[in-house]
Amino acid sequence: MKPDSMKSALLTPHAVTSDRRPHQPDIDHLLPYTPGESLQTFSQRTGIPANNVIKLNANESPYGPVPSALQMLRDHAWYNQYPDVQAQSLTEAISRYTGLEGAHIVLGHGSMEVIRLLWSLFLSPGDEIITCSPTFSLYTSATRERKAYLRNIPRRADYSIDLAAVLAELTPAARMIVLCSPNNPTGNPLPEDDLLTLLKTGLIVVVDEAYVEFSSHPTGYAHLVPHYQNLVVMRTFSKWAGLAGLRVGYGLFPQWIVSAARQAQYPFAVNVAGHLAATATLNHLDEARERVQWIIEERERLSHVLAGYPFLNPIPSEGNFILARIDHQQVSLCQFQSTMEKHGLLLRYFPLLDGRHDYVRVTVGLPEHTTRLAEAIEQIRVTV
Ligand SMILES: *Cc1c(COP(=O)(O)O)cnc(C)c1O
């Protein structure tokens, strides 16, 4: 057909548009996950040029990828080709890094995709999943998507999990328990004894170790995976390896879950750029670990700085962020936020965190970021 006759074929009466939607998708139950504001949106909202903004709201690494990862991305000549469907080199590198065989490893487009995959495998409408709040809110969105129910057991005053309450809340509909360790946003890890007790329930226990590399036990609970049929550990390159923009995560699963996951997943969960950068990171682990060490040192300094203000109560953290409670008798969250924003500081605020009020979470950045933050906090006038 010539272009002209093609056009008239498309404009036959059958193609006339209609006001009626062909099908109404079932979306009323969804609860979208809202990530921290992007640099671009913040810059547009405040009028502060993007290169004057200090972004400490999404726990990204201020150091970015190790130099050899960037080099690999520049040098690669085959972006026209699909990734290796077996993801062999990255799987082998993760295997060396974690000490687990490849048969336990499932890669994902960020660990968020691994979460979605697990939820889709194990949660049907009406099922229950248990978590301990405050914690990562993506678990809630993922659960709503499945039309399942997330049972939130409040953490104790010190943010540790209330094990007895968790055990008391297990119903016949419970399928999984998900806990983040170190926990986002409170920064405390899950003690091994608590994990072992939870594993005895026989439910699938998911431990989200997005921040484990910054903790006092940087190898986390990976070593337990081969010994339990119901333990799942989730990891990511987004935080410690500085690859958030490339979306590379992985799960460490018992083999029976790996088989199910491989059948449910589409091929090529991780793209070529993600493969290259994550593999290069693991092949230059000393450099990546050096950056993690800088962040840990800066975390201690930041914690000390925050504790120096009478209206801030920072919580000890094993992640690359610090959560602090703002004493609203002295400073309102609003006033705090607007002062920070005037100084180009993008932080994460929690007006209400599972029944507790007025929190701010600060990602650990460069030393100069801590200094700029301190200068901005100095400008706050206390009202009492
Ligand atoms: C940042 C974060 C993730 C990471 O998600 P990616 O999809 O891998 O970027 C996972 N879990 C928690 C608790 C996080 O804070």
Side-chain angles (χ1 to χ4, degrees), residues 58-102:
N59 302 341
E60 294 144 330
S61 165
Y63 297 104
V66 293
S68 46
L70 294 174
Q71 194 61 47
M72 292 278 283
L73 293 170
R74 276 193 291 265
D75 291 348
H76 188 71
W78 309 103
Y79 286 114
N80 59 319
Q81 295 184 7
Y82 283 107
D84 169 20
V85 72
Q86 315 279 1
Q88 234 180 61
S89 50
L90 179 53
T91 306
E92 279 169 19
I94 293 174
S95 176
R96 259 179 283 124
Y97 176 60
T98 58
L100 262 63
E101 284 175 30

Short mmCIF file of all heavy atoms in Angstrom, two decimals, residues 58-102:
data_model
loop_
_atom_site.label_atom_id
_atom_site.label_comp_id
_atom_site.label_asym_id
_atom_site.label_seq_id
_atom_site.Cartn_x
_atom_site.Cartn_y
_atom_site.Cartn_z
N ALA A 58 17.32 10.62 49.99
CA ALA A 58 16.99 9.29 49.44
C ALA A 58 18.09 8.26 49.70
O ALA A 58 18.11 7.20 49.06
CB ALA A 58 16.69 9.39 47.94
N ASN A 59 18.98 8.57 50.62
CA ASN A 59 20.03 7.62 51.03
C ASN A 59 20.92 7.18 49.87
O ASN A 59 21.41 6.05 49.85
CB ASN A 59 19.42 6.42 51.76
CG ASN A 59 18.63 6.86 52.98
OD1 ASN A 59 18.83 7.97 53.47
ND2 ASN A 59 17.76 6.02 53.48
N GLU A 60 21.10 8.09 48.92
CA GLU A 60 22.02 7.81 47.82
C GLU A 60 23.45 8.07 48.27
O GLU A 60 23.69 8.80 49.23
CB GLU A 60 21.67 8.72 46.63
CG GLU A 60 20.31 8.41 46.04
CD GLU A 60 19.55 9.63 45.56
OE1 GLU A 60 19.73 10.72 46.14
OE2 GLU A 60 18.75 9.50 44.63
N SER A 61 24.41 7.48 47.57
CA SER A 61 25.81 7.69 47.93
C SER A 61 26.32 8.98 47.32
O SER A 61 26.12 9.23 46.13
CB SER A 61 26.66 6.52 47.42
OG SER A 61 28.03 6.89 47.46
N PRO A 62 27.00 9.82 48.13
CA PRO A 62 27.54 11.05 47.55
C PRO A 62 28.76 10.77 46.67
O PRO A 62 29.21 11.64 45.94
CB PRO A 62 27.93 11.87 48.77
CG PRO A 62 28.27 10.85 49.81
CD PRO A 62 27.35 9.68 49.56
N TYR A 63 29.30 9.57 46.75
CA TYR A 63 30.53 9.25 46.00
C TYR A 63 30.25 8.63 44.64
O TYR A 63 31.12 8.60 43.78
CB TYR A 63 31.43 8.33 46.82
CG TYR A 63 31.88 8.99 48.09
CD1 TYR A 63 31.32 8.66 49.32
CD2 TYR A 63 32.84 10.00 48.05
CE1 TYR A 63 31.71 9.30 50.48
CE2 TYR A 63 33.24 10.65 49.21
CZ TYR A 63 32.67 10.29 50.42
OH TYR A 63 33.04 10.94 51.56
N GLY A 64 29.04 8.12 44.47
CA GLY A 64 28.70 7.51 43.18
C GLY A 64 29.44 6.21 42.96
O GLY A 64 30.03 5.65 43.89
N PRO A 65 29.44 5.71 41.74
CA PRO A 65 30.07 4.42 41.44
C PRO A 65 31.60 4.51 41.56
O PRO A 65 32.16 5.59 41.42
CB PRO A 65 29.69 4.17 39.97
CG PRO A 65 28.66 5.19 39.62
CD PRO A 65 28.81 6.32 40.56
N VAL A 66 32.25 3.38 41.78
CA VAL A 66 33.72 3.36 41.77
C VAL A 66 34.17 3.74 40.34
O VAL A 66 33.48 3.46 39.37
CB VAL A 66 34.30 1.98 42.17
CG1 VAL A 66 34.01 1.67 43.62
CG2 VAL A 66 33.80 0.87 41.27
N PRO A 67 35.36 4.38 40.22
CA PRO A 67 35.80 4.87 38.90
C PRO A 67 35.83 3.77 37.83
O PRO A 67 35.46 4.03 36.67
CB PRO A 67 37.21 5.39 39.17
CG PRO A 67 37.21 5.74 40.63
CD PRO A 67 36.28 4.79 41.30
N SER A 68 36.21 2.56 38.21
CA SER A 68 36.29 1.52 37.18
C SER A 68 34.91 1.14 36.64
O SER A 68 34.78 0.70 35.50
CB SER A 68 37.01 0.29 37.72
OG SER A 68 36.50 -0.01 38.99
N ALA A 69 33.87 1.34 37.43
CA ALA A 69 32.52 1.07 36.93
C ALA A 69 32.17 2.09 35.85
O ALA A 69 31.63 1.73 34.80
CB ALA A 69 31.51 1.14 38.08
N LEU A 70 32.50 3.34 36.09
CA LEU A 70 32.23 4.38 35.08
C LEU A 70 33.03 4.11 33.81
O LEU A 70 32.53 4.28 32.70
CB LEU A 70 32.58 5.76 35.65
CG LEU A 70 31.71 6.21 36.83
CD1 LEU A 70 32.21 7.52 37.41
CD2 LEU A 70 30.26 6.35 36.39
N GLN A 71 34.27 3.66 34.00
CA GLN A 71 35.12 3.34 32.86
C GLN A 71 34.51 2.21 32.02
O GLN A 71 34.46 2.29 30.79
CB GLN A 71 36.52 2.94 33.36
CG GLN A 71 37.58 2.90 32.28
CD GLN A 71 37.76 4.27 31.61
OE1 GLN A 71 37.86 5.28 32.28
NE2 GLN A 71 37.76 4.28 30.28
N MET A 72 34.03 1.17 32.70
CA MET A 72 33.39 0.04 32.00
C MET A 72 32.19 0.52 31.18
O MET A 72 31.98 0.07 30.06
CB MET A 72 32.88 -0.99 33.01
CG MET A 72 33.94 -1.74 33.76
SD MET A 72 34.60 -3.11 32.82
CE MET A 72 33.30 -4.31 33.00
N LEU A 73 31.40 1.42 31.77
CA LEU A 73 30.21 1.92 31.07
C LEU A 73 30.60 2.71 29.82
O LEU A 73 29.98 2.59 28.77
CB LEU A 73 29.37 2.82 32.00
CG LEU A 73 28.71 2.11 33.18
CD1 LEU A 73 28.11 3.12 34.15
CD2 LEU A 73 27.62 1.16 32.69
N ARG A 74 31.68 3.48 29.95
CA ARG A 74 32.15 4.26 28.79
C ARG A 74 32.71 3.37 27.71
O ARG A 74 32.50 3.60 26.52
CB ARG A 74 33.24 5.24 29.24
CG ARG A 74 32.70 6.54 29.81
CD ARG A 74 33.79 7.59 29.93
NE ARG A 74 34.76 7.21 30.96
CZ ARG A 74 34.69 7.65 32.22
NH1 ARG A 74 33.74 8.47 32.60
NH2 ARG A 74 35.59 7.27 33.12
N ASP A 75 33.44 2.32 28.10
CA ASP A 75 34.17 1.49 27.14
C ASP A 75 33.31 0.47 26.42
O ASP A 75 33.71 -0.07 25.40
CB ASP A 75 35.32 0.75 27.84
CG ASP A 75 36.42 1.72 28.26
OD1 ASP A 75 36.37 2.89 27.81
OD2 ASP A 75 37.30 1.32 29.05
N HIS A 76 32.14 0.15 26.97
CA HIS A 76 31.35 -0.94 26.40
C HIS A 76 30.85 -0.57 25.01
O HIS A 76 30.36 0.53 24.78
CB HIS A 76 30.16 -1.22 27.32
CG HIS A 76 29.39 -2.43 26.94
ND1 HIS A 76 29.88 -3.70 27.10
CD2 HIS A 76 28.15 -2.56 26.40
CE1 HIS A 76 28.97 -4.57 26.67
NE2 HIS A 76 27.92 -3.90 26.23
N ALA A 77 31.00 -1.52 24.08
CA ALA A 77 30.66 -1.21 22.68
C ALA A 77 29.44 -1.98 22.20
O ALA A 77 29.13 -1.95 21.01
CB ALA A 77 31.86 -1.53 21.80
N TRP A 78 28.72 -2.67 23.08
CA TRP A 78 27.67 -3.58 22.61
C TRP A 78 26.31 -3.29 23.23
O TRP A 78 25.55 -4.19 23.54
CB TRP A 78 28.08 -5.04 22.93
CG TRP A 78 29.44 -5.38 22.46
CD1 TRP A 78 30.56 -5.48 23.22
CD2 TRP A 78 29.84 -5.64 21.11
NE1 TRP A 78 31.65 -5.78 22.43
CE2 TRP A 78 31.23 -5.89 21.13
CE3 TRP A 78 29.15 -5.67 19.89
CZ2 TRP A 78 31.95 -6.17 19.97
CZ3 TRP A 78 29.87 -5.96 18.74
CH2 TRP A 78 31.25 -6.20 18.78
N TYR A 79 25.99 -2.02 23.38
CA TYR A 79 24.69 -1.68 23.98
C TYR A 79 23.52 -2.05 23.08
O TYR A 79 22.37 -2.04 23.51
CB TYR A 79 24.62 -0.18 24.33
CG TYR A 79 25.45 0.18 25.54
CD1 TYR A 79 26.56 1.00 25.43
CD2 TYR A 79 25.11 -0.31 26.80
CE1 TYR A 79 27.32 1.33 26.55
CE2 TYR A 79 25.86 0.01 27.92
CZ TYR A 79 26.96 0.83 27.79
OH TYR A 79 27.70 1.13 28.89
N ASN A 80 23.81 -2.35 21.80
CA ASN A 80 22.75 -2.80 20.89
C ASN A 80 22.29 -4.22 21.20
O ASN A 80 21.25 -4.66 20.72
CB ASN A 80 23.22 -2.71 19.44
CG ASN A 80 24.46 -3.57 19.20
OD1 ASN A 80 25.36 -3.59 20.05
ND2 ASN A 80 24.51 -4.29 18.10
N GLN A 81 23.09 -4.95 22.00
CA GLN A 81 22.75 -6.36 22.27
C GLN A 81 22.10 -6.52 23.64
O GLN A 81 22.43 -5.82 24.59
CB GLN A 81 24.02 -7.21 22.21
CG GLN A 81 24.61 -7.25 20.82
CD GLN A 81 25.82 -8.17 20.73
OE1 GLN A 81 26.14 -8.89 21.68
NE2 GLN A 81 26.48 -8.14 19.59
N TYR A 82 21.20 -7.50 23.74
CA TYR A 82 20.58 -7.84 25.02
C TYR A 82 21.65 -8.31 26.00
O TYR A 82 22.70 -8.81 25.60
CB TYR A 82 19.58 -8.98 24.83
CG TYR A 82 18.26 -8.54 24.22
CD1 TYR A 82 17.94 -8.86 22.91
CD2 TYR A 82 17.34 -7.83 24.98
CE1 TYR A 82 16.72 -8.46 22.36
CE2 TYR A 82 16.13 -7.43 24.44
CZ TYR A 82 15.82 -7.75 23.13
OH TYR A 82 14.64 -7.36 22.60
N PRO A 83 21.36 -8.18 27.28
CA PRO A 83 22.32 -8.70 28.27
C PRO A 83 22.40 -10.23 28.20
O PRO A 83 21.53 -10.87 27.61
CB PRO A 83 21.71 -8.28 29.61
CG PRO A 83 20.59 -7.35 29.33
CD PRO A 83 20.16 -7.58 27.92
N ASP A 84 23.43 -10.79 28.81
CA ASP A 84 23.54 -12.24 28.97
C ASP A 84 22.33 -12.71 29.79
O ASP A 84 22.15 -12.29 30.93
CB ASP A 84 24.85 -12.55 29.70
CG ASP A 84 24.94 -14.00 30.16
OD1 ASP A 84 24.19 -14.84 29.60
OD2 ASP A 84 25.73 -14.27 31.07
N VAL A 85 21.53 -13.58 29.20
CA VAL A 85 20.29 -13.97 29.86
C VAL A 85 20.54 -14.72 31.17
O VAL A 85 19.74 -14.67 32.11
CB VAL A 85 19.35 -14.74 28.89
CG1 VAL A 85 19.89 -16.13 28.63
CG2 VAL A 85 17.92 -14.77 29.40
N GLN A 86 21.68 -15.40 31.27
CA GLN A 86 22.05 -16.09 32.52
C GLN A 86 22.69 -15.13 33.53
O GLN A 86 22.93 -15.50 34.67
CB GLN A 86 23.06 -17.21 32.26
CG GLN A 86 22.75 -18.10 31.08
CD GLN A 86 21.72 -19.17 31.42
OE1 GLN A 86 21.23 -19.22 32.55
NE2 GLN A 86 21.39 -20.00 30.45
N ALA A 87 23.05 -13.95 33.07
CA ALA A 87 23.73 -12.96 33.92
C ALA A 87 24.93 -13.58 34.64
O ALA A 87 25.12 -13.38 35.84
CB ALA A 87 22.75 -12.34 34.92
N GLN A 88 25.72 -14.34 33.87
CA GLN A 88 26.76 -15.15 34.49
C GLN A 88 27.81 -14.35 35.27
O GLN A 88 28.09 -14.68 36.42
CB GLN A 88 27.46 -15.96 33.41
CG GLN A 88 27.48 -17.43 33.71
CD GLN A 88 28.20 -18.18 32.61
OE1 GLN A 88 29.38 -17.95 32.36
NE2 GLN A 88 27.48 -19.06 31.94
N SER A 89 28.37 -13.33 34.65
CA SER A 89 29.49 -12.67 35.34
C SER A 89 29.01 -11.95 36.60
O SER A 89 29.68 -12.01 37.64
CB SER A 89 30.24 -11.72 34.40
OG SER A 89 29.34 -10.88 33.74
N LEU A 90 27.83 -11.32 36.55
CA LEU A 90 27.34 -10.65 37.76
C LEU A 90 26.95 -11.68 38.83
O LEU A 90 27.26 -11.51 40.01
CB LEU A 90 26.16 -9.74 37.42
CG LEU A 90 25.54 -8.99 38.62
CD1 LEU A 90 26.59 -8.22 39.41
CD2 LEU A 90 24.43 -8.05 38.16
N THR A 91 26.31 -12.77 38.42
CA THR A 91 25.92 -13.78 39.39
C THR A 91 27.16 -14.37 40.07
O THR A 91 27.18 -14.56 41.29
CB THR A 91 25.08 -14.88 38.71
OG1 THR A 91 23.99 -14.27 38.03
CG2 THR A 91 24.53 -15.86 39.72
N GLU A 92 28.20 -14.63 39.27
CA GLU A 92 29.43 -15.17 39.87
C GLU A 92 30.07 -14.17 40.83
O GLU A 92 30.56 -14.55 41.89
CB GLU A 92 30.44 -15.52 38.76
CG GLU A 92 30.13 -16.87 38.12
CD GLU A 92 30.96 -17.11 36.86
OE1 GLU A 92 32.00 -16.42 36.67
OE2 GLU A 92 30.54 -17.96 36.05
N ALA A 93 30.04 -12.90 40.44
CA ALA A 93 30.64 -11.88 41.32
C ALA A 93 29.85 -11.77 42.63
O ALA A 93 30.43 -11.66 43.71
CB ALA A 93 30.69 -10.54 40.60
N ILE A 94 28.53 -11.83 42.55
CA ILE A 94 27.70 -11.77 43.77
C ILE A 94 27.94 -13.03 44.61
O ILE A 94 27.98 -12.99 45.84
CB ILE A 94 26.21 -11.61 43.43
CG1 ILE A 94 25.96 -10.24 42.79
CG2 ILE A 94 25.33 -11.78 44.66
CD1 ILE A 94 24.54 -10.02 42.29
N SER A 95 28.12 -14.14 43.93
CA SER A 95 28.38 -15.39 44.62
C SER A 95 29.69 -15.31 45.43
O SER A 95 29.73 -15.68 46.60
CB SER A 95 28.44 -16.51 43.57
OG SER A 95 28.78 -17.71 44.16
N ARG A 96 30.71 -14.75 44.81
CA ARG A 96 31.99 -14.56 45.53
C ARG A 96 31.80 -13.59 46.70
O ARG A 96 32.31 -13.78 47.80
CB ARG A 96 33.06 -14.03 44.59
CG ARG A 96 34.03 -15.11 44.13
CD ARG A 96 35.06 -14.54 43.16
NE ARG A 96 34.48 -14.34 41.83
CZ ARG A 96 34.47 -13.19 41.16
NH1 ARG A 96 35.01 -12.10 41.69
NH2 ARG A 96 33.92 -13.11 39.97
N TYR A 97 31.06 -12.55 46.46
CA TYR A 97 30.86 -11.49 47.46
C TYR A 97 30.06 -11.99 48.66
O TYR A 97 30.39 -11.67 49.81
CB TYR A 97 30.14 -10.32 46.78
CG TYR A 97 29.77 -9.17 47.69
CD1 TYR A 97 30.74 -8.46 48.39
CD2 TYR A 97 28.43 -8.79 47.85
CE1 TYR A 97 30.41 -7.40 49.21
CE2 TYR A 97 28.09 -7.73 48.67
CZ TYR A 97 29.07 -7.05 49.35
OH TYR A 97 28.72 -6.01 50.17
N THR A 98 29.02 -12.79 48.40
CA THR A 98 28.14 -13.21 49.49
C THR A 98 28.52 -14.58 50.06
O THR A 98 28.05 -14.96 51.13
CB THR A 98 26.68 -13.32 49.02
OG1 THR A 98 26.63 -14.25 47.92
CG2 THR A 98 26.15 -11.98 48.57
N GLY A 99 29.33 -15.34 49.32
CA GLY A 99 29.67 -16.69 49.75
C GLY A 99 28.57 -17.70 49.45
O GLY A 99 28.63 -18.84 49.90
N LEU A 100 27.54 -17.29 48.71
CA LEU A 100 26.45 -18.21 48.38
C LEU A 100 26.55 -18.66 46.93
O LEU A 100 26.99 -17.90 46.07
CB LEU A 100 25.09 -17.52 48.59
CG LEU A 100 24.41 -17.82 49.91
CD1 LEU A 100 25.26 -17.30 51.06
CD2 LEU A 100 23.04 -17.18 49.95
N GLU A 101 26.12 -19.88 46.66
CA GLU A 101 26.14 -20.36 45.28
C GLU A 101 25.14 -19.60 44.41
O GLU A 101 24.13 -19.10 44.90
CB GLU A 101 25.80 -21.84 45.25
CG GLU A 101 26.96 -22.71 45.70
CD GLU A 101 26.58 -24.16 45.78
OE1 GLU A 101 25.70 -24.59 45.00
OE2 GLU A 101 27.15 -24.85 46.64
N GLY A 102 25.43 -19.58 43.11
CA GLY A 102 24.55 -18.90 42.16
C GLY A 102 23.11 -19.39 42.23
O GLY A 102 22.18 -18.64 41.93
#
